[in-house]
Every structure is written in C-alpha cells, then in structure tokens.
Amino acid sequence: VVVGIDTETRPCMFNTKGSKVKNKTSLLQVATRSDRGNEMVFIIDLISLSRLNLMPNLNNILEPLFSDESILKLGHGLVYD
C-alpha cells in the first residue's frame, strides 16, 4: 500500500515590526491506492477539527497509519507547505 501525503498552509507573512508570522497548517490531504487499484482521497480540515477540539481523535486515527512501517508514505515539499 502506498499513501501520498500533502499539507496546505497559508503563506507566512511579515508583520509591521518585520517579524515573520507563521500560520498553522490548514489542510491535510491523504491519498491511497490499494493493490487492486482502488483509490481514495481524504481532505482533512485541520483548523475546523482544532476549533471543535477533535485533534486528539484525528491523532488516534492517523497514528496507526504513520507508525506502520509496511505502508510506504510519500510526500513532496512538505517542509515548504
């Protein structure tokens, strides 16, 4: 199984004092293709989950995915998102 991961974050800006303002990651996209060719894409609104205090639930759901060494996880440019 291969899982593709991408995040979306509003670009960082500088405030009037010249300090960089970092923004929270707003979306997590997870796409997968099974051995049979079935494809699924999940777009997760992290800001809404955070506002509803549901981030612990998301952590419990995603932890098995990210900790399973038999699942290949691919991401491109995540450092810059």
Side-chain angles (χ1 to χ4, degrees), residues 1-5 32 64-74:
V1 177
V2 177
V3 175
I5 301 164
T32 183
L65 166 70
F66 287 111
S67 64
D68 189 335
E69 294 181 10
S70 70
I71 299 173
L72 177 63
K73 278 88 58 188
L74 300 174

Side-chain angles (χ1 to χ4, degrees), residues 14-67:
F14 291 90
N15 63 19
T16 56
K17 296 178 183 177
S19 299
K20 192 173 188 179
V21 178
K22 288 190 171 187
N23 293 303
K24 295 180 180 181
T25 301
S26 54
L27 292 176
L28 172 65
Q29 301 164 62
V30 180
T32 183
R33 178 181 296 154
S34 72
D35 295 336
R36 296 182 182 188
N38 297 326
E39 298 175 341
M40 290 188 284
V41 177
F42 302 91
I43 299 175
I44 303 164
D45 182 343
L46 299 175
I47 293 174
S48 291
L49 290 178
S50 179
R51 285 182 186 150
L52 297 170
N53 292 325
L54 294 174
M55 290 304 285
N57 296 8
L58 180 63
N59 292 340
N60 291 335
I61 292 168
L62 293 178
E63 191 274 331
L65 166 70
F66 287 111
S67 64

